[in-house]
Every structure is written in C-alpha cells, then in structure tokens.
Amino acid sequence: MAGVEQITVETGEAGMRLDRWFKSHYPGLGFGHLQKLLRSGQVRVDGGRAKSDTRIEPGQVVRVPPLDVDQKGGAPLTHKTLRGVDDGEALSKMILYEDAKVFVFDKPSGLAVQGGSGVTRSVDSMLEAFRSKKGEKPRLVHRLDRDTSGALVVARTRLAAMKLAESFRGRDAKKTYWALVKGVPPKREDKISTWLVKETTLDGDRMRVAAHGEKGADHAVSYYRIVEQAAQTLSWLEMEPHTGRTHQLRVHAAHIGCPIIGDPKYFEADTNWDFPGGMQNRLHLHARRIVIPHPDGGKIDVTAPLPPHMRQSWNLLGFDEASAE
C-alpha cells in the first residue's frame, strides 16, 4: 500500500468535481470511503479541506492518503508511464494475451506502431527486445493509428505472421472499436460506404471522401451503432471497419457529421461548440476487441480496457461499460 501522494491536477481535468476525479483515478474507491476521508480532512486540495462537489482546476494539488485500492486499477498504461522503462519491460506491461505464436498488446495512445518522421520509439522498434533464442523478431500484422489505443496483434513467428496477415486481408478478423463522437448520428445503427483518397496538406497526409472512380481512391465500409448518448451533445459509438483503410473510422465519423472527440485531423467544431469540461482533448478512439482465427486453429478473442483518458470521460458522462455487451 502506497504512502501519502500529492497529485497535480492535469489540464484536461479542469472543472471536474472532486468525487468524479477520484472515480477516474481510483475506480475501486467506494463513495462512502471517500466521504469519510473528506470529513476527516485526510483528502485536501492545495492544503485545504474540500468537499465531494469541490471543482478542481489544473495545477492544484490533491493530497491522497494511503488507500486500499490501486490507482486506476494498477499503474495506468499510458505513453507517459512507459517513458524511461526499457523496451522489454514496457512490452511486458502491455501484454493482454500471449502463446507460442501470438501476442496481443494493449497499445497506449500516443505510441506509434511503426517508425517514421519524428518517431523516436515505436512498437516495431521495441519488438527487438522480444527476439527469440533463434533470433526471430516478432512481426506486426496490422496497424493502429498513433493516437488510437487498444488491441494490437503481433505474430511471434514468420509462419504465424503469414496466416494472421491473411486473416486481416481476407476480413476474417473482427475488429470492434469504441469512439466518443460529437452529436448524435442520424440513425441508431448504420453502414457507412464511401471512397477514400489520400491528400497531402500543410498538416501532413490526410484522407478525404472521394468520388467513385477518382484516381487513387479506395472503397471503405464501416458499421456503427449507438451504445449510449449524453443528450444531443455526445454519443458513444461501437464501430466496426469492414475494410482497413488509413484513418477510416475517423473519416467516416466526420462524414456523418459526428467527428471523434479530440481528433486533431478530422474534428472541425463550429464556433458555438465548447469542448466538454473535465475531458482531455485527446483522440477518443479505442480498439476495444479483436476476434481472429488462431494460426494453429480455433480463435483468439481479446478485449482491451479503456485507456485512462477515455475512462475519465466515461466516468464524467456516467456511461457504463456493460451497456455495450
């Protein structure tokens, strides 16, 4: 059990109620226990007593006494918490599933899958630490965007890589994503079918919806359903990409008028729209579940927990993860 902690409130937590902040950081801490700690003055904000409905601001320091629960259900897996941790240990912390042929990692938001300009560390480079005794390095078989968190499948052998890559190409892999989007889509559930083409802009490459037959355009199909919504302001979508185009779900969400919250490329808010207080302005897209044929037969079915910034938003909105089951 840890001693007293002094935790600084982050920018994305501006305006949060103190009880919501605790629910986000310590999901296992009961409401009654928190009330007792507040009444006895063991929890303080900037050295002063506080109440459960106290609104906190960035830079304030919350005094957290020793608790019988782990922070965020254990050390929260984020790109920041893996800094300074060697590659082998970092990858070990990320494992959701492993056997002799396959790894499934819980990739944090902010960690690139492959190298590129401005990328100093990627899953691909980290996999050097997992070379087998025969000298074989695990192989990537699909990708997630840098800012997308969640389930990432990696093959441990060349033959497994061939079979898994074939499953992704043949669309035998079922990928389920969770997204928090602006507004409410026109239908409770629907299919989105467009053509997408890559274009170069001052902000780097991005995808746009193209006309059928346009040079370089690829067909893209996604499915979505609304799980829950917060009035007409925000919706929690379960999304499934049928094809695997670059930024497909992000472009498709924007295409139906409901861009994904915190998307730096495709979220173009109107001037009347304010980013919700207490939420972090980061991409709210998570590879929640992957179901894929195992190279040796049978199926792999793995679910990745929500990353801390999305769990914080779910707590703030009162969304229950069980609603999607």
Side-chain angles (χ1 to χ4, degrees), residues 20-37:
R20 285 282 189 188
W21 183 89
F22 267 91
K23 186 169 172 57
S24 169
H25 285 259
Y26 301 90
L29 180 65
F31 182 75
H33 188 182
L34 175 60
Q35 293 302 309
K36 195 180 292 183
L37 295 172

PDB file of all heavy atoms in Angstrom, residues 20-37:
ATOM      1  N   ARG A  20     -15.687  12.992  -8.862  1.00  0.00           N
ATOM      2  CA  ARG A  20     -15.511  12.438 -10.202  1.00  0.00           C
ATOM      3  C   ARG A  20     -14.020  12.172 -10.475  1.00  0.00           C
ATOM      4  O   ARG A  20     -13.652  11.187 -11.109  1.00  0.00           O
ATOM      5  CB  ARG A  20     -16.052  13.410 -11.264  1.00  0.00           C
ATOM      6  CG  ARG A  20     -17.560  13.455 -11.344  1.00  0.00           C
ATOM      7  CD  ARG A  20     -18.076  12.246 -12.093  1.00  0.00           C
ATOM      8  NE  ARG A  20     -19.496  12.356 -12.371  1.00  0.00           N
ATOM      9  CZ  ARG A  20     -20.218  11.375 -12.876  1.00  0.00           C
ATOM     10  NH1 ARG A  20     -19.661  10.218 -13.135  1.00  0.00           N
ATOM     11  NH2 ARG A  20     -21.492  11.528 -13.113  1.00  0.00           N
ATOM     12  N   TRP A  21     -13.185  13.110  -9.988  1.00  0.00           N
ATOM     13  CA  TRP A  21     -11.746  12.973 -10.171  1.00  0.00           C
ATOM     14  C   TRP A  21     -11.260  11.683  -9.489  1.00  0.00           C
ATOM     15  O   TRP A  21     -10.480  10.923 -10.058  1.00  0.00           O
ATOM     16  CB  TRP A  21     -11.039  14.203  -9.594  1.00  0.00           C
ATOM     17  CG  TRP A  21      -9.556  14.228  -9.784  1.00  0.00           C
ATOM     18  CD1 TRP A  21      -8.869  14.749 -10.850  1.00  0.00           C
ATOM     19  CD2 TRP A  21      -8.557  13.717  -8.884  1.00  0.00           C
ATOM     20  NE1 TRP A  21      -7.511  14.600 -10.673  1.00  0.00           N
ATOM     21  CE2 TRP A  21      -7.292  13.956  -9.473  1.00  0.00           C
ATOM     22  CE3 TRP A  21      -8.608  13.071  -7.644  1.00  0.00           C
ATOM     23  CZ2 TRP A  21      -6.098  13.594  -8.859  1.00  0.00           C
ATOM     24  CZ3 TRP A  21      -7.414  12.696  -7.037  1.00  0.00           C
ATOM     25  CH2 TRP A  21      -6.170  12.961  -7.639  1.00  0.00           C
ATOM     26  N   PHE A  22     -11.756  11.431  -8.267  1.00  0.00           N
ATOM     27  CA  PHE A  22     -11.367  10.214  -7.557  1.00  0.00           C
ATOM     28  C   PHE A  22     -11.881   8.973  -8.274  1.00  0.00           C
ATOM     29  O   PHE A  22     -11.192   7.965  -8.357  1.00  0.00           O
ATOM     30  CB  PHE A  22     -11.870  10.242  -6.108  1.00  0.00           C
ATOM     31  CG  PHE A  22     -10.851  10.797  -5.143  1.00  0.00           C
ATOM     32  CD1 PHE A  22     -10.819  12.156  -4.843  1.00  0.00           C
ATOM     33  CD2 PHE A  22      -9.917   9.965  -4.562  1.00  0.00           C
ATOM     34  CE1 PHE A  22      -9.864  12.670  -3.976  1.00  0.00           C
ATOM     35  CE2 PHE A  22      -8.957  10.465  -3.689  1.00  0.00           C
ATOM     36  CZ  PHE A  22      -8.921  11.824  -3.396  1.00  0.00           C
ATOM     37  N   LYS A  23     -13.098   9.043  -8.812  1.00  0.00           N
ATOM     38  CA  LYS A  23     -13.665   7.883  -9.520  1.00  0.00           C
ATOM     39  C   LYS A  23     -12.831   7.557 -10.752  1.00  0.00           C
ATOM     40  O   LYS A  23     -12.637   6.400 -11.105  1.00  0.00           O
ATOM     41  CB  LYS A  23     -15.122   8.158  -9.905  1.00  0.00           C
ATOM     42  CG  LYS A  23     -15.833   6.941 -10.507  1.00  0.00           C
ATOM     43  CD  LYS A  23     -17.317   7.194 -10.606  1.00  0.00           C
ATOM     44  CE  LYS A  23     -18.045   6.097 -11.373  1.00  0.00           C
ATOM     45  NZ  LYS A  23     -17.850   4.753 -10.818  1.00  0.00           N
ATOM     46  N   SER A  24     -12.312   8.627 -11.399  1.00  0.00           N
ATOM     47  CA  SER A  24     -11.476   8.440 -12.575  1.00  0.00           C
ATOM     48  C   SER A  24     -10.127   7.827 -12.211  1.00  0.00           C
ATOM     49  O   SER A  24      -9.636   6.919 -12.875  1.00  0.00           O
ATOM     50  CB  SER A  24     -11.266   9.787 -13.273  1.00  0.00           C
ATOM     51  OG  SER A  24     -10.277   9.702 -14.264  1.00  0.00           O
ATOM     52  N   HIS A  25      -9.513   8.330 -11.130  1.00  0.00           N
ATOM     53  CA  HIS A  25      -8.170   7.869 -10.749  1.00  0.00           C
ATOM     54  C   HIS A  25      -8.183   6.596  -9.914  1.00  0.00           C
ATOM     55  O   HIS A  25      -7.245   5.802  -9.972  1.00  0.00           O
ATOM     56  CB  HIS A  25      -7.443   8.978  -9.974  1.00  0.00           C
ATOM     57  CG  HIS A  25      -6.949  10.094 -10.840  1.00  0.00           C
ATOM     58  ND1 HIS A  25      -5.647  10.208 -11.241  1.00  0.00           N
ATOM     59  CD2 HIS A  25      -7.603  11.142 -11.410  1.00  0.00           C
ATOM     60  CE1 HIS A  25      -5.507  11.281 -12.003  1.00  0.00           C
ATOM     61  NE2 HIS A  25      -6.682  11.858 -12.118  1.00  0.00           N
ATOM     62  N   TYR A  26      -9.237   6.413  -9.106  1.00  0.00           N
ATOM     63  CA  TYR A  26      -9.300   5.261  -8.200  1.00  0.00           C
ATOM     64  C   TYR A  26     -10.675   4.609  -8.294  1.00  0.00           C
ATOM     65  O   TYR A  26     -11.514   4.757  -7.401  1.00  0.00           O
ATOM     66  CB  TYR A  26      -9.042   5.711  -6.746  1.00  0.00           C
ATOM     67  CG  TYR A  26      -7.711   6.385  -6.542  1.00  0.00           C
ATOM     68  CD1 TYR A  26      -7.582   7.767  -6.684  1.00  0.00           C
ATOM     69  CD2 TYR A  26      -6.582   5.656  -6.209  1.00  0.00           C
ATOM     70  CE1 TYR A  26      -6.358   8.398  -6.512  1.00  0.00           C
ATOM     71  CE2 TYR A  26      -5.348   6.276  -6.031  1.00  0.00           C
ATOM     72  CZ  TYR A  26      -5.242   7.639  -6.188  1.00  0.00           C
ATOM     73  OH  TYR A  26      -4.031   8.252  -6.023  1.00  0.00           O
ATOM     74  N   PRO A  27     -10.934   3.886  -9.414  1.00  0.00           N
ATOM     75  CA  PRO A  27     -12.259   3.286  -9.618  1.00  0.00           C
ATOM     76  C   PRO A  27     -12.696   2.369  -8.482  1.00  0.00           C
ATOM     77  O   PRO A  27     -13.876   2.193  -8.237  1.00  0.00           O
ATOM     78  CB  PRO A  27     -12.101   2.504 -10.925  1.00  0.00           C
ATOM     79  CG  PRO A  27     -10.909   3.080 -11.595  1.00  0.00           C
ATOM     80  CD  PRO A  27     -10.011   3.587 -10.515  1.00  0.00           C
ATOM     81  N   GLY A  28     -11.723   1.789  -7.766  1.00  0.00           N
ATOM     82  CA  GLY A  28     -12.068   0.856  -6.687  1.00  0.00           C
ATOM     83  C   GLY A  28     -12.415   1.513  -5.370  1.00  0.00           C
ATOM     84  O   GLY A  28     -12.811   0.835  -4.416  1.00  0.00           O
ATOM     85  N   LEU A  29     -12.288   2.838  -5.284  1.00  0.00           N
ATOM     86  CA  LEU A  29     -12.567   3.548  -4.034  1.00  0.00           C
ATOM     87  C   LEU A  29     -14.064   3.826  -3.912  1.00  0.00           C
ATOM     88  O   LEU A  29     -14.654   4.499  -4.749  1.00  0.00           O
ATOM     89  CB  LEU A  29     -11.784   4.870  -4.002  1.00  0.00           C
ATOM     90  CG  LEU A  29     -11.967   5.752  -2.762  1.00  0.00           C
ATOM     91  CD1 LEU A  29     -11.433   5.060  -1.508  1.00  0.00           C
ATOM     92  CD2 LEU A  29     -11.292   7.104  -2.955  1.00  0.00           C
ATOM     93  N   GLY A  30     -14.692   3.302  -2.877  1.00  0.00           N
ATOM     94  CA  GLY A  30     -16.132   3.481  -2.692  1.00  0.00           C
ATOM     95  C   GLY A  30     -16.486   4.907  -2.276  1.00  0.00           C
ATOM     96  O   GLY A  30     -15.673   5.622  -1.674  1.00  0.00           O
ATOM     97  N   PHE A  31     -17.727   5.320  -2.583  1.00  0.00           N
ATOM     98  CA  PHE A  31     -18.190   6.674  -2.275  1.00  0.00           C
ATOM     99  C   PHE A  31     -18.158   6.947  -0.771  1.00  0.00           C
ATOM    100  O   PHE A  31     -17.722   8.001  -0.313  1.00  0.00           O
ATOM    101  CB  PHE A  31     -19.606   6.868  -2.822  1.00  0.00           C
ATOM    102  CG  PHE A  31     -20.161   8.252  -2.601  1.00  0.00           C
ATOM    103  CD1 PHE A  31     -19.717   9.318  -3.365  1.00  0.00           C
ATOM    104  CD2 PHE A  31     -21.114   8.494  -1.626  1.00  0.00           C
ATOM    105  CE1 PHE A  31     -20.211  10.602  -3.160  1.00  0.00           C
ATOM    106  CE2 PHE A  31     -21.606   9.771  -1.417  1.00  0.00           C
ATOM    107  CZ  PHE A  31     -21.157  10.825  -2.179  1.00  0.00           C
ATOM    108  N   GLY A  32     -18.609   5.970   0.008  1.00  0.00           N
ATOM    109  CA  GLY A  32     -18.641   6.137   1.464  1.00  0.00           C
ATOM    110  C   GLY A  32     -17.249   6.321   2.048  1.00  0.00           C
ATOM    111  O   GLY A  32     -17.035   7.155   2.940  1.00  0.00           O
ATOM    112  N   HIS A  33     -16.304   5.546   1.540  1.00  0.00           N
ATOM    113  CA  HIS A  33     -14.915   5.642   1.998  1.00  0.00           C
ATOM    114  C   HIS A  33     -14.360   7.035   1.683  1.00  0.00           C
ATOM    115  O   HIS A  33     -13.700   7.666   2.521  1.00  0.00           O
ATOM    116  CB  HIS A  33     -14.084   4.553   1.301  1.00  0.00           C
ATOM    117  CG  HIS A  33     -12.680   4.432   1.830  1.00  0.00           C
ATOM    118  ND1 HIS A  33     -11.768   3.547   1.314  1.00  0.00           N
ATOM    119  CD2 HIS A  33     -12.021   5.096   2.817  1.00  0.00           C
ATOM    120  CE1 HIS A  33     -10.611   3.664   1.962  1.00  0.00           C
ATOM    121  NE2 HIS A  33     -10.749   4.595   2.879  1.00  0.00           N
ATOM    122  N   LEU A  34     -14.638   7.535   0.474  1.00  0.00           N
ATOM    123  CA  LEU A  34     -14.168   8.876   0.092  1.00  0.00           C
ATOM    124  C   LEU A  34     -14.765   9.936   1.014  1.00  0.00           C
ATOM    125  O   LEU A  34     -14.061  10.853   1.471  1.00  0.00           O
ATOM    126  CB  LEU A  34     -14.531   9.162  -1.373  1.00  0.00           C
ATOM    127  CG  LEU A  34     -14.211  10.579  -1.867  1.00  0.00           C
ATOM    128  CD1 LEU A  34     -12.722  10.897  -1.755  1.00  0.00           C
ATOM    129  CD2 LEU A  34     -14.682  10.763  -3.313  1.00  0.00           C
ATOM    130  N   GLN A  35     -16.077   9.822   1.322  1.00  0.00           N
ATOM    131  CA  GLN A  35     -16.730  10.801   2.205  1.00  0.00           C
ATOM    132  C   GLN A  35     -16.048  10.846   3.576  1.00  0.00           C
ATOM    133  O   GLN A  35     -15.831  11.911   4.150  1.00  0.00           O
ATOM    134  CB  GLN A  35     -18.219  10.458   2.379  1.00  0.00           C
ATOM    135  CG  GLN A  35     -19.057  10.613   1.119  1.00  0.00           C
ATOM    136  CD  GLN A  35     -18.996  12.030   0.555  1.00  0.00           C
ATOM    137  OE1 GLN A  35     -19.202  13.007   1.264  1.00  0.00           O
ATOM    138  NE2 GLN A  35     -18.692  12.133  -0.725  1.00  0.00           N
ATOM    139  N   LYS A  36     -15.703   9.670   4.078  1.00  0.00           N
ATOM    140  CA  LYS A  36     -15.040   9.585   5.382  1.00  0.00           C
ATOM    141  C   LYS A  36     -13.677  10.287   5.339  1.00  0.00           C
ATOM    142  O   LYS A  36     -13.308  11.021   6.261  1.00  0.00           O
ATOM    143  CB  LYS A  36     -14.876   8.105   5.762  1.00  0.00           C
ATOM    144  CG  LYS A  36     -14.526   7.871   7.235  1.00  0.00           C
ATOM    145  CD  LYS A  36     -14.373   6.382   7.537  1.00  0.00           C
ATOM    146  CE  LYS A  36     -15.707   5.660   7.445  1.00  0.00           C
ATOM    147  NZ  LYS A  36     -15.571   4.215   7.809  1.00  0.00           N
ATOM    148  N   LEU A  37     -12.940  10.072   4.254  1.00  0.00           N
ATOM    149  CA  LEU A  37     -11.626  10.702   4.099  1.00  0.00           C
ATOM    150  C   LEU A  37     -11.751  12.227   3.990  1.00  0.00           C
ATOM    151  O   LEU A  37     -10.913  12.969   4.520  1.00  0.00           O
ATOM    152  CB  LEU A  37     -10.906  10.145   2.862  1.00  0.00           C
ATOM    153  CG  LEU A  37     -10.528   8.659   2.896  1.00  0.00           C
ATOM    154  CD1 LEU A  37     -10.009   8.214   1.535  1.00  0.00           C
ATOM    155  CD2 LEU A  37      -9.476   8.393   3.967  1.00  0.00           C
TER     156      LEU A  37
END
